[in-house]
Amino acid sequence: MCNCITGVFCRDATLEHTFGNLKPGHSYEIKIKVLSDQASSKEKSRSLPTNPLPPTNLEVQSASTTTDSVTVTWSYDSTKSFCEKWKVKYKVNGTNDIKEWLSTSNANEKETTISGLKPGQTYTISVFGVTTGDINSQTSIDIDATVTDSEETVTGLFPGDTYTFEVKAVSGTEISGEKTTTAVMCPLPPTSVTVTGRTTNTVSISWQHDSTKSYCEKWKVEYTEKDNTQIKTIPINSVAEKSVTIPSLAPGRTYTIKVFAVTSGDVVSQTAKELDVTTKPLAVTALEAVAKDDSNVDVSWSPDTASTQDKYQLRYHDDTKGTVWSEVVSLTDKKKTVTGLFPGHQYTFEVKAVSHSQTSAVKTTTAVLYPLPPTKVTAKTMTETDRVTVSWEYDTSQSYCEKWRINYTVKGFAQKTYKYTSSASELRIVIDKLQAGQNYTISVYGVTIGGVVSKTSMDTDVTVRPEITTTLSENSNTDTDTVVVDYTAETGSGVFDHYYFSINDRHTTTVTKEHGGTSRILHFDGLEAGILYTITALTKSGSERSREISTQVRTVPQKPGLNCIPEEDAMTVTITKGDGKVDKFSLTCSNCNDTSRREAEPSSIKTRYTNLVPYTTYSFKATAIAGTESNHHKESDITSIYCKANEGPPFPVKFFKITYTRPLQLLLSWKEPAVKNGILTKYTIRYSGTYTGTKENVPEDHPKLITINDDSRTTYAIKITDDYGFVDSYSVIVTNKRDDPVLNKTVIPYWSSMKASEDSIYTYFAIEKCVKLFSDGDACWRKKRIKRVVSSAITVTVTIGGDKDCDATMEGACNGALSPSTTYYIKLRAHGEDDKYTDTPLSDEINTGSSSLPWGAIGGGIGAIAIVIIIVILILVVVLLKRQSWFNKNSQPRSDIPMEVTRRSSTQPTPMLLSRSCKLGDFPQRWQEMNVNAQLQFAREIEVHAIQIQNAISSLYYFCVNTPSNYFNLEHDYLCIR
């Protein structure tokens, strides 16, 4: 109790109060509130239990006392006390070692058996009541109990029977009341248990029981999966029923099955007859056998996921040899490669799942081994160009085949199956519809059961015989030692590597040309002239050759040599044979009285011509001939020779005149004889008298002024020479620009350069350094067009332009086509020794027409030509009058010596002589004089060949008079300039 002085705060106070008449073991709520005059505190409460009372009537159950345990019971009056549970403790009498046995879970548990006691020992057992909050009663009820060590074993009892036992306690002479109890003997288990059947989810068992040794009323079957604690029970209520089928088991699992005997009171035998039983596993799934090659098969499978198995069994047999199974192979893996099998055979494979020696249902599959290919394959070409023969060999002891598959392919492309044979004994086949000359790979495969084809093939390469469809023809460029042949492009669909050309006679030459080459011309060089050669052609593809084609070409015979032995009026011509073969010679004289063609055998090569004119040049042409008209006739190039007959006496001079100029002087003048019959070396003047001197080296046809003595006879010898040198050759220069400075240069471009640069080059050589420009017998340009007109003055017509053989790549002078609608000028250049030359003035303009050729224009052109011809005739009359005037003028007495003409070349060359000497110094003067005569005369007739090719624009020939043209004619008075 706390006494507080007024105004003083009291921190600690103890208040005690005792509540009486409460019930034991109950819980009470105590509430406390502090009061003052002014206020009261908050109320606080707390639950407090009262101690319960201990139980009553604690007893030891004597019947339950055993050698190591004792059972005690007690009573409890709930009207006097409340308990939630009980707590039991015990100790050995006379000791303080108290052990707690247990705490019951509720107050209704009023019995317990204390075990683990020592027999013959006396224990004090105490029981406490326990209420809310684990509050124990303050006191307990105690009892002493002694664990008895007396027992009796009764033997010889019959298992399974029920026995009643009566027990009395005897102390001295005192005998207690009897106690009885009943005991049922445990029956014996079955004597044997047998599995009578099993599936993937059931097991059937049966058992045996000896009723003479044990009694039972029924059976209990327990089973549990191995390594599983869950036990399942099947009761069997009839002792006569000694078999059962256990359902709903898992496939491939092992179960422990126990069979118990059950007697009265459901007493079960202490032991059971048990055995371990495994259900059958499920069959494997996805079984597959795949041939790996020709002797190995990969077998694989998968287990059923709803089944348990620990290994597998595999066996197989060769179907072609019956059902002789191999040994069983036990496997833990789910695949197996079976080796050493026979190629081409079919095998059956069998697989079972195994679980603890229990096998599943069998699963089977088959596989066919790949056969082996043939041991040898041979392919051969045939005469035809689209097929080959294929054959092969086969060893039946090494592989089995039912037939063969033949493939072929062009290298680099996918294979193509040609065909299958009908049986394995068919070992040869012809493959057709192939490409000629193509290289194929032939593959032969073995085919066995089910169409299984060998993994590999036996291959061979073969090239189909190529074909040749080209055509051989002689090229015009065949020469004396060269055969030139054209060959056309192939027209067939075949292929080949190259052509193989050969020429065989006295020579053997081979030419190889790639297929598809752009040049289709063959040259065989180093041959003999005049020989008939056979040119053979074939195509080659690999080592295969096509059939041969051939043509015959004769080489041109060598041109003969010509020599002549002149006489005054006769001439003997000798032909000299060249190398090679010649069958005969041909000889003609173009200007003899006999112009016929003479033929001579090689043994007779001298020919005599008579009735010739002295000192006249005769033209002889000879050719060598090989073959005949029906046997590849060939003529050599023409050999030309100019032979001059020996000199004869000249005719008298013409127009001889004597004019007196002054006393004792005569002016002699004359013209050369009309017929010279040789070279005039001198004129002989005979007269009587004296003379004042000798004049030599006077040009012919010039007046001669001499002083004579009438009393003497003097002979004057006049030596005719050429002071200005000889003309070696002539050139024709063409220009379309009159003032082009190139005209006066030594080096002048050619036609090809002009065509390539027409905007910058205007002048070119149409003909360059032609020795015989104004005489026939020599081609100074590629397209020779010489027209000789027989007249009092021999006229030679030279065509400028129109040579179709010219092209822009050609080197050197070329008389190429002129341009339409263009004005041209020409001049001649005379060449002497040491590159000296003299030019004529430019001609008058010459106009070519447009590029069309209407027939109306042709008619107009003919009319214009007629007009020109009339004009030319008038000009000729004028010229003749002028010449006569010139002659008369120069025939008058003169006191001066004639003026010499300036020359460009002062050298004295040794030229090739023409039919008459030409004075280089007089050349420009002579040409100038011809301007009024016929310097550039137009064509006087329509040429037939010009009309025939009028549609070929690039090579038309036109006319010079008011018509389109790419050429014009140049005519010269032959006597004036040669």
Side-chain angles (χ1 to χ4, degrees):
M1 184 171 184
C2 178
N3 296 318
C4 294
I5 302 176
T6 303
V8 178
F9 177 70
C10 184
R11 294 180 56 87
D12 298 316
T14 301
L15 178 63
E16 294 182 359
H17 181 77
T18 301
F19 295 93
N21 299 320
L22 300 180
K23 291 183 178 181
H26 284 269
S27 178
Y28 292 89
E29 183 179 13
I30 308 299
K31 296 181 179 180
I32 301 176
K33 180 186 290 185
V34 179
L35 300 176
S36 67
D37 293 339
Q38 292 83 14
S40 62
S41 67
K42 289 183 179 181
E43 186 178 78
K44 290 189 176 182
S45 63
R46 182 180 178 185
S47 293
L48 296 173
T50 58
N51 294 102
L53 296 177
T56 60
N57 300 324
L58 180 63
E59 294 182 358
V60 176
Q61 299 297 318
S62 59
S64 64
T65 303
T66 65
T67 56
D68 62 349
S69 64
V70 62
T71 300
V72 295
T73 60
W74 58 89
S75 301
Y76 169 58
D77 187 356
S78 59
T79 62
K80 295 181 178 179
S81 177
F82 172 76
C83 282
E84 289 185 348
K85 57 185 178 180
W86 309 100
K87 185 178 292 184
V88 179
K89 299 182 180 180
Y90 67 95
K91 67 175 182 177
V92 178
N93 279 354
T95 67
N96 293 321
D97 184 16
I98 300 173
K99 297 182 178 179
E100 185 173 324
W101 172 245
L102 61 77
S103 291
T104 64
S105 59
N106 57 64
N108 294 325
E109 295 183 22
K110 297 187 286 290
E111 178 180 333
T112 185
T113 297
I114 302 172
S115 60
L117 304 179
K118 181 182 280 189
Q121 185 72 52
T122 300
Y123 293 88
T124 298
I125 300 171
S126 302
V127 180
F128 297 85
V130 181
T131 188
T132 305
D134 274 349
I135 301 300
N136 296 334
S137 61
Q138 292 181 332
T139 60
S140 65
I141 184 168
D142 301 330
I143 189 171
D144 292 337
T146 301
V147 179
T148 181
D149 58 356
S150 60
E151 61 182 18
E152 183 69 26
T153 301
V154 180
T155 62
L157 304 180
F158 192 80
D161 278 351
T162 301
Y163 292 87
T164 300
F165 295 91
E166 183 178 282
V167 179
K168 295 179 179 180
V170 179
S171 177
T173 58
E174 295 292 329
I175 301 175
S176 68
E178 64 181 21
K179 292 284 185 176
T180 60
T181 185
T182 301
V184 178
M185 301 302 294
C186 292
L188 297 177
T191 55
S192 64
V193 179
T194 305
V195 177
T196 58
R198 74 186 83 200
T199 64
T200 57
N201 56 8
T202 64
V203 171
S204 297
I205 61 172
S206 64
W207 56 89
Q208 300 297 322
H209 171 61
D210 189 353
S211 60
T212 62
K213 295 183 179 180
S214 178
Y215 169 77
C216 65
E217 295 180 350
K218 53 187 177 180
W219 311 97
K220 182 176 73 171
V221 177
E222 290 183 354
Y223 64 94
T224 180
E225 188 177 341
K226 203 78 168 175
D227 302 326
N228 195 331
T229 58
Q230 184 179 4
I231 299 174
K232 295 181 180 180
T233 302
I234 300 177
I236 299 174
N237 295 322
S238 173
V239 70
E241 189 177 347
K242 294 189 285 292
S243 65
V244 68
T245 298
I246 303 173
S248 304
L249 303 180
R253 299 292 183 89
T254 300
Y255 292 85
T256 299
I257 302 175
K258 296 180 180 181
V259 181
F260 295 88
V262 182
T263 189
S264 303
D266 290 336
V267 175
V268 180
S269 58
Q270 290 182 325
T271 61
K273 198 66 175 181
E274 67 178 72
L275 75 167
D276 290 338
V277 182
T278 302
T279 55
K280 287 184 174 294
L282 294 175
V284 299
T285 62
L287 176 61
E288 185 180 27
V290 178
K292 189 175 182 180
D293 47 37
D294 50 45
S295 61
N296 302 305
V297 173
D298 286 335
V299 184
S300 62
W301 59 89
S302 298
D304 195 311
T305 56
S307 176
T308 301
Q309 46 275 318
D310 50 22
K311 57 184 176 180
Y312 306 92
Q313 289 180 352
L314 167 67
R315 66 175 184 170
Y316 58 90
H317 68 74
D318 188 339
D319 292 356
T320 58
K321 296 181 180 180
T323 55
V324 180
W325 290 96
S326 66
E327 293 183 2
V328 175
V329 180
S330 183
L331 304 166
T332 57
D333 202 357
K334 295 183 283 295
K335 61 183 178 179
K336 172 68 175 177
T337 298
V338 181
T339 61
L341 306 180
F342 192 81
H345 278 188
Q346 176 175 289
Y347 286 80
T348 297
F349 297 89
E350 179 183 280
V351 176
K352 297 179 182 179
V354 180
S355 181
H356 296 284
S357 75
Q358 293 300 310
T359 58
S360 69
V362 69
K363 276 293 183 73
T364 60
T365 188
T366 60
V368 178
L369 274 297
Y370 290 101
L372 293 176
T375 56
K376 182 180 180 181
V377 175
T378 304
K380 295 181 179 180
T381 58
M382 303 179 68
T383 304
E384 296 83 356
T385 60
D386 66 340
R387 60 195 61 197
V388 295
T389 300
V390 183
S391 59
W392 56 93
E393 298 177 2
Y394 168 50
D395 187 353
T396 57
S397 66
Q398 299 297 317
S399 177
Y400 172 75
C401 284
E402 292 186 341
K403 54 186 176 181
W404 307 96
R405 186 179 82 182
I406 295 87
N407 288 11
Y408 69 88
T409 179
V410 177
K411 285 189 175 180
F413 293 87
Q415 278 195 354
K416 178 180 178 181
T417 299
Y418 179 70
K419 69 177 299 183
Y420 289 85
T421 63
S422 58
S423 67
S425 61
E426 188 176 350
L427 302 177
R428 181 182 179 276
I429 194 172
V430 174
I431 302 178
D432 59 2
K433 298 180 181 179
L434 301 178
Q435 186 179 23
Q438 187 61 266
N439 182 264
Y440 291 89
T441 297
I442 310 297
S443 304
V444 182
Y445 296 82
V447 183
T448 187
I449 301 166
V452 175
V453 181
S454 59
K455 291 195 75 171
T456 60
S457 62
M458 183 59 71
D459 300 341
T460 186
D461 289 339
V462 64
T463 300
V464 184
R465 186 182 302 279
E467 61 183 358
I468 182 167
T469 58
T470 191
T471 301
L472 302 177
S473 60
E474 181 181 356
N475 186 285
S476 59
N477 290 322
T478 294
D479 206 344
T480 56
D481 61 349
T482 302
V483 166
V484 184
V485 176
D486 295 323
Y487 63 99
T488 61
E490 292 293 317
T491 59
S493 60
V495 296
F496 55 90
D497 297 329
H498 55 262
Y499 292 97
Y500 186 84
F501 300 97
S502 61
I503 182 167
N504 290 296
D505 191 345
R506 300 181 188 177
H507 298 75
T508 299
T509 305
T510 300
V511 176
T512 300
K513 290 251 183 178
E514 293 298 324
H515 185 196
T518 55
S519 173
R520 294 192 167 273
I521 300 177
L522 300 173
H523 290 266
F524 295 95
D525 302 320
L527 305 180
E528 190 173 352
I531 299 298
L532 182 63
Y533 287 93
T534 299
I535 293 87
T536 302
L538 55 85
T539 56
K540 293 185 69 175
S541 188
S543 60
E544 291 297 323
R545 298 187 175 198
S546 70
R547 63 182 178 87
E548 292 184 352
I549 63 170
S550 63
T551 188
Q552 288 186 311
V553 177
R554 188 183 298 277
T555 51
V556 177
Q558 288 283 2
K559 60 188 295 187
L562 277 181
N563 188 25
C564 63
I565 302 174
E567 303 173 28
E568 184 174 319
D569 59 353
M571 196 169 296
T572 300
V573 179
T574 303
I575 302 174
T576 304
K577 177 182 174 297
D579 294 335
K581 180 181 179 182
V582 176
D583 292 321
K584 59 184 177 180
F585 295 101
S586 170
L587 179 65
T588 59
C589 177
S590 61
N591 56 343
C592 296
N593 293 331
D594 180 9
T595 59
S596 63
R597 174 169 171 161
R598 300 183 183 183
E599 293 186 350
E601 298 296 327
S603 60
S604 176
I605 56 177
K606 287 186 179 182
T607 301
R608 179 176 174 79
Y609 287 86
T610 59
N611 298 320
L612 303 182
V613 178
Y615 204 68
T616 299
T617 300
Y618 291 93
S619 174
F620 296 96
K621 297 179 180 179
T623 58
I625 300 172
T628 63
E629 293 297 333
S630 61
N631 185 22
H632 300 87
H633 174 270
K634 279 286 176 68
E635 290 192 19
S636 70
D637 292 341
I638 297 174
T639 299
S640 299
I641 187 173
Y642 294 92
C643 293
K644 185 176 292 185
N646 292 340
E647 294 180 327
F651 283 22
V653 298
K654 296 187 301 181
F655 307 113
F656 180 74
K657 288 184 180 182
I658 302 175
T659 303
Y660 291 92
T661 58
R662 54 178 177 263
L664 300 180
Q665 265 193 345
L666 299 175
L667 178 61
L668 308 181
S669 63
W670 62 89
K671 290 294 183 182
E672 65 184 11
V675 178
K676 301 177 185 178
N677 284 337
I679 298 176
L680 295 178
T681 59
K682 62 181 179 179
Y683 289 98
T684 302
I685 303 174
R686 293 185 176 88
Y687 63 95
S688 301
T690 60
Y691 60 94
T692 58
T694 301
K695 300 290 187 179
E696 296 183 354
N697 297 330
V698 177
E700 60 182 284
D701 297 343
H702 280 248
K704 173 68 174 174
L705 183 63
I706 62 174
T707 300
I708 62 174
N709 186 340
D710 291 337
D711 296 332
S712 64
R713 289 185 173 274
T714 304
T715 299
Y716 288 91
I718 303 175
K719 183 178 181 182
I720 307 300
T721 61
D722 189 348
D723 291 341
Y724 306 105
F726 289 106
V727 177
D728 289 339
S729 58
Y730 297 92
S731 295
V732 177
I733 302 171
V734 179
T735 185
N736 56 21
K737 186 176 181 183
R738 189 176 185 88
D739 58 349
D740 189 359
V742 178
L743 283 165
N744 299 319
K745 292 185 177 181
T746 302
V747 178
I748 293 178
Y750 297 116
W751 179 87
S752 59
S753 300
M754 184 276 297
K755 294 302 290 183
S757 304
E758 290 184 349
D759 294 338
S760 59
I761 297 178
Y762 310 96
T763 302
Y764 67 94
F765 273 129
I767 299 172
E768 183 184 30
K769 293 185 178 181
C770 178
V771 175
K772 299 177 181 180
L773 178 64
F774 301 113
S775 63
D776 61 344
D778 188 24
C780 293
W781 51 94
R782 293 181 179 273
K783 186 149 185 81
K784 183 170 67 176
R785 299 176 69 246
I786 297 178
K787 180 176 68 178
R788 298 184 61 83
V789 179
V790 180
S791 63
S792 59
I794 300 175
T795 301
V796 175
T797 299
V798 179
T799 299
I800 305 301
D803 190 348
K804 294 187 295 181
D805 292 336
C806 294
D807 61 60
T809 63
M810 190 170 294
E811 297 180 359
C814 185
N815 193 10
L818 304 178
S819 299
S821 304
T822 304
T823 299
Y824 287 97
Y825 307 90
I826 69 167
K827 69 175 180 178
L828 296 184
R829 176 170 289 181
H831 299 271
E833 192 178 38
D834 298 329
D835 292 329
K836 302 295 191 235
Y837 61 86
T838 299
D839 289 351
T840 69
L842 282 175
S843 70
D844 296 332
E845 67 180 31
I846 306 170
N847 296 310
T848 56
S850 64
S851 59
S852 62
L853 187 59
W855 289 106
I858 294 176
I862 295 174
I865 291 173
I867 295 173
V868 171
I869 291 174
I870 295 173
I871 294 172
V872 169
I873 293 172
L874 293 176
I875 291 174
L876 288 174
V877 172
V878 172
V879 169
L880 290 175
L881 291 175
K882 284 190 176 184
R883 286 182 175 177
Q884 183 65 35
S885 174
W886 175 87
F887 178 79
N888 291 336
K889 179 178 66 176
N890 287 282
S891 299
Q892 298 300 318
R894 295 177 58 184
S895 59
D896 56 337
I897 301 300
M899 182 183 297
E900 294 184 354
V901 180
T902 304
R903 64 186 181 215
R904 291 195 180 184
S905 175
S906 60
T907 59
Q908 296 297 325
T910 304
M912 177 187 293
L913 295 178
L914 304 182
S915 58
R916 172 182 289 213
S917 301
C918 290
K919 297 180 179 179
L920 189 60
D922 285 350
F923 181 79
Q925 179 179 346
R926 296 297 183 90
W927 187 250
Q928 187 73 29
E929 292 171 357
M930 291 181 63
N931 286 338
V932 296
N933 187 7
Q935 177 188 1
L936 296 173
Q937 295 191 27
F938 297 113
R940 297 176 180 174
E941 62 185 13
I942 297 175
E943 295 181 1
V944 176
H945 69 273
I947 298 174
Q948 289 175 341
I949 60 172
Q950 59 181 316
N951 294 326
I953 300 300
S954 63
S955 58
L956 276 177
Y957 293 88
Y958 297 101
F959 311 107
C960 293
V961 182
N962 297 325
T963 59
S965 176
N966 64 358
Y967 78 95
F968 52 77
N969 288 336
L970 172 64
E971 292 191 356
H972 308 285
D973 181 351
Y974 191 58
L975 293 179
C976 289
I977 69 167
R978 58 183 177 176

